[in-house]
Amino acid sequence: MTDLERIKQGVIEGDMPRVKELTAKALTEGAAPLALLRRALIPAMNVVGERMRTGEFFVPEVLLAARAMKAAMEIIKPLVLESRAYEPTGRIIIGTVQGDMHDIGKNLVVTMLEGAGFEVADLGVDVSPERFVEAVREKKPDILAMSALLTTTMGQMAAVMKALSDAGCRQRLKVIVGGAPLSPRFARDISADGYAEDAGAAAELAKGLVASRRAATA
Amino acid sequence: MSMTHRQRIMAAIRKQPADCLPWGLRLDYWYKAHAKAGTLPEKYREWSIWDITRDTGAGIQAHHGRVHQEILRNVEVVTRQEGREKTTEYFTPVGTVSTKMVSTQRLEETDTRPYEKEKMFKRVEDYPVIEFIVENTEIVPTYDDFLSVDRLVGEDGVVVARMEASPMHRIMRNLVGYERFVYELHDNPDKVERLFQVLLEQGRKIARVAADSPAEIVHSDSNLVDAIHTPRIFEKYFVPWFQEISEMLHSRGKVLQCHTDGELRRLLPFFPRTGIDVAEAFSPPPMTSCTASDLRAAWGDRITIWGGIATQLFTDSYTDEEFDDYVLSLFKEIAPGYNFIVGVGDNVPVAAKFDRLRRVTDLVQRYGKLPMMS
């Protein structure tokens, strides 16, 4: 097994100390940071996402894998950013809507998106429509992702959609939503571009939307 | 003479015959939000939640709260309010821990409880402090409020007494937080296990108080989700707890209810071993993936199901015709209808089309005579 394979396996197993050690060793021995990212870390999280999708992995396994990946990323990120060849899978802004303080689901989505190579700007919880619009204007993301856990706050998503339209930000932006009381039907009702029922599905949805957008503009 | 709502609901829970499908409504989220905002429908402006529920034609499902009180000994508690943030510090001889609750304008408008921004557990050194607090908490029965609500509800429904969540759920959700819990269970399993044992002992004291209370239905735990609570964790920490307290409650003539509003598919096989009598707030699609048939296939008639109409169906995303079809389809699915209580999974949304609650009553009256035909 090569070092890259060992790092990948370590991430899948959620073995943070081993992943940190192997990553540092691989870099010392001349491994390219981008290769570590593309051939070990992202493929590892793809496996984790797939195992979550098939029911083999649960949230604990995903969190432990993500922690191991983040530990490796802390080591290689400064080096990766120096590389001009680096291009993230896509750029995403994410937040829990105004009035809603729940972040477990959102944080899991962030984990899976980062694991899929996305650059994620997490606005946190209780995010107002104005703050979403401001962040979209500033960061020009491919996708805006919104989360809500409460039936009392899911209506805020429609307010964000209106604010995006009013601000002229909607056309070039894909919007995806998720959260326990939501449904594909609700997503359609508010004219979102997609709904994901869990974190793994959110990452797959985001990858699909970015790919189709890039194909359309190619 | 027809049965009362209470008789029907209790018949379903105790696996006894009833004249009609019970319909039990928990209206507190909807009521609190509208009462706080001053947006109750004109007709209901001066009405109590119980009278509004009666007016829908549904039976009342009153979640009264606890039948025990917790009194801290040897711990100094200092609270500090700064804007919408409330910090509480617990000073003990073995160290200090704190929590931080935060509200928002929207949460205040809807009278929703604040969110715990900072859990009590933040670092490994907090374990002994939390254990000290738990071990120095006296559990005292307090039944007067329960009896008062029970008198107000009368034969028009049931009043549910709430216990604490199960010990491991208290660690996961209340004390440590789900994400940090995963790391703690992985990195410090012995410390988690020790805290679990301390909470288990306290949980037994609380269960004994509930078992001796005037309540017929005792509620423990909620918001279980298979992706987080996982079959491995559920089987190791939750099933034995439920077994123990259900035996204790059953021996005193009580029943155990669990608020099953989350995605449960991968936990379903474990439920028949728990001794849980009522799976309340059952939330079928589009809320979760589990249908009533899924639950019946996994549980048989052993556990009474309460719920079946997903929250979203009460919003204007669905037409009245779609709503009727959904409810009638549920009736067909659960026929002949025994051991089932119609309810909302998991709550009536603030923006509910309120007339649909009366629509359920109408459909129950027209089609809910037991045994129902599939």
mmCIF file of all heavy atoms in Angstrom, chain B residues 83-116:
data_model
loop_
_atom_site.group_PDB
_atom_site.id
_atom_site.type_symbol
_atom_site.label_atom_id
_atom_site.label_comp_id
_atom_site.label_asym_id
_atom_site.label_seq_id
_atom_site.Cartn_x
_atom_site.Cartn_y
_atom_site.Cartn_z
ATOM 1 N N GLY B 83 -28.310 41.063 26.488
ATOM 2 C CA GLY B 83 -29.119 41.070 25.278
ATOM 3 C C GLY B 83 -29.933 39.797 25.207
ATOM 4 O O GLY B 83 -30.643 39.452 26.150
ATOM 5 N N ARG B 84 -29.787 39.082 24.112
ATOM 6 C CA ARG B 84 -30.544 37.830 23.957
ATOM 7 C C ARG B 84 -29.741 36.618 24.420
ATOM 8 O O ARG B 84 -30.146 35.485 24.211
ATOM 9 C CB ARG B 84 -30.960 37.657 22.496
ATOM 10 C CG ARG B 84 -32.067 38.624 22.072
ATOM 11 C CD ARG B 84 -32.703 38.181 20.754
ATOM 12 N NE ARG B 84 -33.925 38.895 20.508
ATOM 13 C CZ ARG B 84 -34.033 39.961 19.714
ATOM 14 N NH1 ARG B 84 -32.959 40.424 19.102
ATOM 15 N NH2 ARG B 84 -35.199 40.554 19.544
ATOM 16 N N GLU B 85 -28.565 36.857 25.006
ATOM 17 C CA GLU B 85 -27.730 35.749 25.475
ATOM 18 C C GLU B 85 -27.803 35.623 26.989
ATOM 19 O O GLU B 85 -27.653 36.607 27.701
ATOM 20 C CB GLU B 85 -26.265 35.966 25.063
ATOM 21 C CG GLU B 85 -26.009 35.657 23.610
ATOM 22 C CD GLU B 85 -24.523 35.548 23.293
ATOM 23 O OE1 GLU B 85 -23.686 35.803 24.183
ATOM 24 O OE2 GLU B 85 -24.225 35.217 22.149
ATOM 25 N N LYS B 86 -28.009 34.393 27.444
ATOM 26 C CA LYS B 86 -28.057 34.150 28.883
ATOM 27 C C LYS B 86 -26.981 33.122 29.243
ATOM 28 O O LYS B 86 -27.019 31.983 28.770
ATOM 29 C CB LYS B 86 -29.434 33.614 29.275
ATOM 30 C CG LYS B 86 -29.593 33.351 30.757
ATOM 31 C CD LYS B 86 -30.984 32.802 31.011
ATOM 32 C CE LYS B 86 -31.158 32.387 32.449
ATOM 33 N NZ LYS B 86 -32.464 31.730 32.645
ATOM 34 N N THR B 87 -26.038 33.560 30.061
ATOM 35 C CA THR B 87 -24.966 32.672 30.502
ATOM 36 C C THR B 87 -25.264 32.197 31.921
ATOM 37 O O THR B 87 -25.623 33.007 32.775
ATOM 38 C CB THR B 87 -23.611 33.403 30.475
ATOM 39 O OG1 THR B 87 -23.391 33.908 29.153
ATOM 40 C CG2 THR B 87 -22.473 32.475 30.860
ATOM 41 N N THR B 88 -25.132 30.901 32.129
ATOM 42 C CA THR B 88 -25.321 30.343 33.463
ATOM 43 C C THR B 88 -24.046 29.633 33.877
ATOM 44 O O THR B 88 -23.552 28.759 33.150
ATOM 45 C CB THR B 88 -26.499 29.347 33.477
ATOM 46 O OG1 THR B 88 -27.665 30.007 32.979
ATOM 47 C CG2 THR B 88 -26.768 28.846 34.885
ATOM 48 N N GLU B 89 -23.513 30.025 35.023
ATOM 49 C CA GLU B 89 -22.300 29.387 35.534
ATOM 50 C C GLU B 89 -22.644 28.544 36.756
ATOM 51 O O GLU B 89 -23.453 28.951 37.588
ATOM 52 C CB GLU B 89 -21.266 30.448 35.914
ATOM 53 C CG GLU B 89 -20.642 31.123 34.710
ATOM 54 C CD GLU B 89 -19.631 32.177 35.132
ATOM 55 O OE1 GLU B 89 -20.062 33.218 35.652
ATOM 56 O OE2 GLU B 89 -18.424 31.940 34.947
ATOM 57 N N TYR B 90 -22.014 27.368 36.817
ATOM 58 C CA TYR B 90 -22.221 26.446 37.935
ATOM 59 C C TYR B 90 -20.897 26.286 38.663
ATOM 60 O O TYR B 90 -19.951 25.694 38.128
ATOM 61 C CB TYR B 90 -22.708 25.088 37.413
ATOM 62 C CG TYR B 90 -24.006 25.148 36.634
ATOM 63 C CD1 TYR B 90 -24.018 25.505 35.290
ATOM 64 C CD2 TYR B 90 -25.215 24.857 37.247
ATOM 65 C CE1 TYR B 90 -25.211 25.575 34.579
ATOM 66 C CE2 TYR B 90 -26.416 24.922 36.541
ATOM 67 C CZ TYR B 90 -26.398 25.278 35.207
ATOM 68 O OH TYR B 90 -27.573 25.345 34.507
ATOM 69 N N PHE B 91 -20.833 26.830 39.877
ATOM 70 C CA PHE B 91 -19.615 26.751 40.672
ATOM 71 C C PHE B 91 -19.730 25.568 41.644
ATOM 72 O O PHE B 91 -20.667 25.516 42.443
ATOM 73 C CB PHE B 91 -19.413 28.050 41.461
ATOM 74 C CG PHE B 91 -19.181 29.247 40.574
ATOM 75 C CD1 PHE B 91 -20.251 30.037 40.160
ATOM 76 C CD2 PHE B 91 -17.900 29.579 40.154
ATOM 77 C CE1 PHE B 91 -20.038 31.141 39.337
ATOM 78 C CE2 PHE B 91 -17.689 30.683 39.332
ATOM 79 C CZ PHE B 91 -18.761 31.463 38.918
ATOM 80 N N THR B 92 -18.795 24.636 41.552
ATOM 81 C CA THR B 92 -18.795 23.466 42.434
ATOM 82 C C THR B 92 -17.421 23.360 43.102
ATOM 83 O O THR B 92 -16.455 23.993 42.638
ATOM 84 C CB THR B 92 -19.058 22.156 41.660
ATOM 85 O OG1 THR B 92 -17.835 21.729 41.055
ATOM 86 C CG2 THR B 92 -20.115 22.325 40.575
ATOM 87 N N PRO B 93 -17.311 22.546 44.136
ATOM 88 C CA PRO B 93 -15.990 22.377 44.779
ATOM 89 C C PRO B 93 -14.955 21.741 43.848
ATOM 90 O O PRO B 93 -13.756 21.812 44.122
ATOM 91 C CB PRO B 93 -16.291 21.428 45.957
ATOM 92 C CG PRO B 93 -17.759 21.545 46.191
ATOM 93 C CD PRO B 93 -18.378 21.842 44.875
ATOM 94 N N VAL B 94 -15.399 21.108 42.754
ATOM 95 C CA VAL B 94 -14.429 20.434 41.873
ATOM 96 C C VAL B 94 -14.208 21.187 40.557
ATOM 97 O O VAL B 94 -13.492 20.709 39.681
ATOM 98 C CB VAL B 94 -14.867 18.975 41.577
ATOM 99 C CG1 VAL B 94 -14.830 18.139 42.836
ATOM 100 C CG2 VAL B 94 -16.241 18.922 40.931
ATOM 101 N N GLY B 95 -14.822 22.347 40.432
ATOM 102 C CA GLY B 95 -14.611 23.128 39.222
ATOM 103 C C GLY B 95 -15.873 23.853 38.797
ATOM 104 O O GLY B 95 -16.925 23.744 39.440
ATOM 105 N N THR B 96 -15.753 24.601 37.722
ATOM 106 C CA THR B 96 -16.870 25.422 37.240
ATOM 107 C C THR B 96 -17.176 25.067 35.790
ATOM 108 O O THR B 96 -16.264 24.872 34.978
ATOM 109 C CB THR B 96 -16.494 26.921 37.323
ATOM 110 O OG1 THR B 96 -16.178 27.230 38.678
ATOM 111 C CG2 THR B 96 -17.643 27.803 36.848
ATOM 112 N N VAL B 97 -18.460 24.984 35.476
ATOM 113 C CA VAL B 97 -18.891 24.814 34.082
ATOM 114 C C VAL B 97 -19.948 25.875 33.790
ATOM 115 O O VAL B 97 -20.479 26.511 34.707
ATOM 116 C CB VAL B 97 -19.484 23.404 33.820
ATOM 117 C CG1 VAL B 97 -18.397 22.347 33.855
ATOM 118 C CG2 VAL B 97 -20.599 23.091 34.786
ATOM 119 N N SER B 98 -20.248 26.051 32.519
ATOM 120 C CA SER B 98 -21.239 27.073 32.169
ATOM 121 C C SER B 98 -22.012 26.657 30.922
ATOM 122 O O SER B 98 -21.571 25.793 30.157
ATOM 123 C CB SER B 98 -20.544 28.414 31.914
ATOM 124 O OG SER B 98 -19.714 28.319 30.777
ATOM 125 N N THR B 99 -23.150 27.271 30.751
ATOM 126 C CA THR B 99 -23.927 27.108 29.511
ATOM 127 C C THR B 99 -24.277 28.495 29.002
ATOM 128 O O THR B 99 -24.302 29.464 29.771
ATOM 129 C CB THR B 99 -25.243 26.334 29.745
ATOM 130 O OG1 THR B 99 -26.042 27.069 30.686
ATOM 131 C CG2 THR B 99 -24.988 24.942 30.268
ATOM 132 N N LYS B 100 -24.534 28.587 27.713
ATOM 133 C CA LYS B 100 -24.972 29.862 27.139
ATOM 134 C C LYS B 100 -26.172 29.610 26.240
ATOM 135 O O LYS B 100 -26.087 28.838 25.282
ATOM 136 C CB LYS B 100 -23.830 30.501 26.350
ATOM 137 C CG LYS B 100 -24.162 31.912 25.860
ATOM 138 C CD LYS B 100 -22.954 32.601 25.245
ATOM 139 C CE LYS B 100 -22.028 33.121 26.312
ATOM 140 N NZ LYS B 100 -20.891 33.884 25.784
ATOM 141 N N MET B 101 -27.274 30.240 26.589
ATOM 142 C CA MET B 101 -28.490 30.132 25.784
ATOM 143 C C MET B 101 -28.643 31.412 24.975
ATOM 144 O O MET B 101 -28.352 32.504 25.468
ATOM 145 C CB MET B 101 -29.725 29.960 26.673
ATOM 146 C CG MET B 101 -29.644 28.839 27.688
ATOM 147 S SD MET B 101 -29.644 27.212 26.940
ATOM 148 C CE MET B 101 -31.334 27.092 26.385
ATOM 149 N N VAL B 102 -29.114 31.272 23.760
ATOM 150 C CA VAL B 102 -29.316 32.467 22.946
ATOM 151 C C VAL B 102 -30.666 32.382 22.249
ATOM 152 O O VAL B 102 -31.084 31.323 21.796
ATOM 153 C CB VAL B 102 -28.152 32.649 21.936
ATOM 154 C CG1 VAL B 102 -28.044 31.467 21.008
ATOM 155 C CG2 VAL B 102 -28.307 33.921 21.129
ATOM 156 N N SER B 103 -31.333 33.501 22.238
ATOM 157 C CA SER B 103 -32.613 33.558 21.535
ATOM 158 C C SER B 103 -32.476 34.467 20.313
ATOM 159 O O SER B 103 -31.437 35.080 20.097
ATOM 160 C CB SER B 103 -33.707 34.085 22.460
ATOM 161 O OG SER B 103 -34.967 33.878 21.866
ATOM 162 N N THR B 104 -33.497 34.508 19.504
ATOM 163 C CA THR B 104 -33.523 35.416 18.362
ATOM 164 C C THR B 104 -34.894 36.078 18.361
ATOM 165 O O THR B 104 -35.821 35.636 19.046
ATOM 166 C CB THR B 104 -33.361 34.658 17.031
ATOM 167 O OG1 THR B 104 -34.521 33.832 16.836
ATOM 168 C CG2 THR B 104 -32.117 33.790 17.010
ATOM 169 N N GLN B 105 -35.005 37.110 17.573
ATOM 170 C CA GLN B 105 -36.298 37.793 17.496
ATOM 171 C C GLN B 105 -37.390 36.811 17.071
ATOM 172 O O GLN B 105 -38.481 36.788 17.622
ATOM 173 C CB GLN B 105 -36.215 38.949 16.498
ATOM 174 C CG GLN B 105 -37.459 39.813 16.480
ATOM 175 C CD GLN B 105 -37.324 40.970 15.507
ATOM 176 O OE1 GLN B 105 -36.240 41.299 15.073
ATOM 177 N NE2 GLN B 105 -38.450 41.579 15.168
ATOM 178 N N ARG B 106 -37.054 35.975 16.076
ATOM 179 C CA ARG B 106 -38.046 35.027 15.558
ATOM 180 C C ARG B 106 -38.441 34.002 16.625
ATOM 181 O O ARG B 106 -39.605 33.655 16.762
ATOM 182 C CB ARG B 106 -37.474 34.323 14.319
ATOM 183 C CG ARG B 106 -38.432 33.357 13.646
ATOM 184 C CD ARG B 106 -39.604 34.076 13.020
ATOM 185 N NE ARG B 106 -40.558 33.145 12.448
ATOM 186 C CZ ARG B 106 -41.836 33.409 12.290
ATOM 187 N NH1 ARG B 106 -42.342 34.576 12.640
ATOM 188 N NH2 ARG B 106 -42.650 32.509 11.739
ATOM 189 N N LEU B 107 -37.432 33.512 17.366
ATOM 190 C CA LEU B 107 -37.735 32.538 18.418
ATOM 191 C C LEU B 107 -38.611 33.179 19.487
ATOM 192 O O LEU B 107 -39.532 32.553 20.002
ATOM 193 C CB LEU B 107 -36.443 32.007 19.044
ATOM 194 C CG LEU B 107 -35.564 31.115 18.153
ATOM 195 C CD1 LEU B 107 -34.279 30.726 18.879
ATOM 196 C CD2 LEU B 107 -36.311 29.868 17.710
ATOM 197 N N GLU B 108 -38.326 34.443 19.803
ATOM 198 C CA GLU B 108 -39.142 35.131 20.804
ATOM 199 C C GLU B 108 -40.563 35.349 20.292
ATOM 200 O O GLU B 108 -41.535 35.162 21.021
ATOM 201 C CB GLU B 108 -38.505 36.472 21.176
ATOM 202 C CG GLU B 108 -37.244 36.310 22.022
ATOM 203 C CD GLU B 108 -36.495 37.615 22.232
ATOM 204 O OE1 GLU B 108 -36.941 38.656 21.714
ATOM 205 O OE2 GLU B 108 -35.469 37.575 22.908
ATOM 206 N N GLU B 109 -40.656 35.736 19.028
ATOM 207 C CA GLU B 109 -41.990 35.983 18.448
ATOM 208 C C GLU B 109 -42.860 34.742 18.480
ATOM 209 O O GLU B 109 -44.075 34.823 18.613
ATOM 210 C CB GLU B 109 -41.843 36.454 16.988
ATOM 211 C CG GLU B 109 -41.399 37.889 16.848
ATOM 212 C CD GLU B 109 -41.009 38.225 15.412
ATOM 213 O OE1 GLU B 109 -41.073 37.330 14.529
ATOM 214 O OE2 GLU B 109 -40.628 39.373 15.181
ATOM 215 N N THR B 110 -42.224 33.586 18.325
ATOM 216 C CA THR B 110 -42.994 32.340 18.278
ATOM 217 C C THR B 110 -42.964 31.602 19.613
ATOM 218 O O THR B 110 -43.402 30.454 19.687
ATOM 219 C CB THR B 110 -42.445 31.417 17.163
ATOM 220 O OG1 THR B 110 -41.041 31.249 17.358
ATOM 221 C CG2 THR B 110 -42.696 32.007 15.795
ATOM 222 N N ASP B 111 -42.450 32.263 20.639
ATOM 223 C CA ASP B 111 -42.378 31.690 21.974
ATOM 224 C C ASP B 111 -41.681 30.320 21.954
ATOM 225 O O ASP B 111 -42.099 29.377 22.620
ATOM 226 C CB ASP B 111 -43.787 31.556 22.584
ATOM 227 C CG ASP B 111 -43.736 31.523 24.109
ATOM 228 O OD1 ASP B 111 -42.693 31.883 24.673
ATOM 229 O OD2 ASP B 111 -44.740 31.121 24.727
ATOM 230 N N THR B 112 -40.638 30.242 21.116
ATOM 231 C CA THR B 112 -39.858 29.003 21.019
ATOM 232 C C THR B 112 -38.676 29.100 21.973
ATOM 233 O O THR B 112 -38.075 30.169 22.113
ATOM 234 C CB THR B 112 -39.344 28.807 19.578
ATOM 235 O OG1 THR B 112 -40.465 28.849 18.702
ATOM 236 C CG2 THR B 112 -38.625 27.478 19.415
ATOM 237 N N ARG B 113 -38.335 27.979 22.603
ATOM 238 C CA ARG B 113 -37.278 28.031 23.612
ATOM 239 C C ARG B 113 -35.942 28.438 22.971
ATOM 240 O O ARG B 113 -35.663 28.087 21.816
ATOM 241 C CB ARG B 113 -37.153 26.700 24.331
ATOM 242 C CG ARG B 113 -36.717 25.562 23.472
ATOM 243 C CD ARG B 113 -36.400 24.338 24.308
ATOM 244 N NE ARG B 113 -36.011 23.256 23.427
ATOM 245 C CZ ARG B 113 -36.812 22.232 23.130
ATOM 246 N NH1 ARG B 113 -38.005 22.151 23.630
ATOM 247 N NH2 ARG B 113 -36.390 21.281 22.317
ATOM 248 N N PRO B 114 -35.120 29.157 23.749
ATOM 249 C CA PRO B 114 -33.815 29.583 23.226
ATOM 250 C C PRO B 114 -32.944 28.393 22.851
ATOM 251 O O PRO B 114 -33.177 27.270 23.300
ATOM 252 C CB PRO B 114 -33.201 30.364 24.390
ATOM 253 C CG PRO B 114 -34.337 30.736 25.266
ATOM 254 C CD PRO B 114 -35.355 29.638 25.108
ATOM 255 N N TYR B 115 -31.943 28.668 22.060
ATOM 256 C CA TYR B 115 -31.016 27.639 21.587
ATOM 257 C C TYR B 115 -29.787 27.632 22.488
ATOM 258 O O TYR B 115 -29.309 28.685 22.911
ATOM 259 C CB TYR B 115 -30.618 27.981 20.161
ATOM 260 C CG TYR B 115 -29.557 27.106 19.573
ATOM 261 C CD1 TYR B 115 -29.872 25.851 19.080
ATOM 262 C CD2 TYR B 115 -28.245 27.556 19.473
ATOM 263 C CE1 TYR B 115 -28.897 25.052 18.521
ATOM 264 C CE2 TYR B 115 -27.267 26.763 18.909
ATOM 265 C CZ TYR B 115 -27.599 25.516 18.439
ATOM 266 O OH TYR B 115 -26.625 24.738 17.890
ATOM 267 N N GLU B 116 -29.280 26.444 22.782
ATOM 268 C CA GLU B 116 -28.099 26.349 23.626
ATOM 269 C C GLU B 116 -26.846 26.507 22.775
ATOM 270 O O GLU B 116 -26.392 25.575 22.116
ATOM 271 C CB GLU B 116 -28.081 25.000 24.357
ATOM 272 C CG GLU B 116 -27.160 25.016 25.545
ATOM 273 C CD GLU B 116 -27.391 23.837 26.472
ATOM 274 O OE1 GLU B 116 -27.799 22.769 25.990
ATOM 275 O OE2 GLU B 116 -27.179 23.993 27.667
#
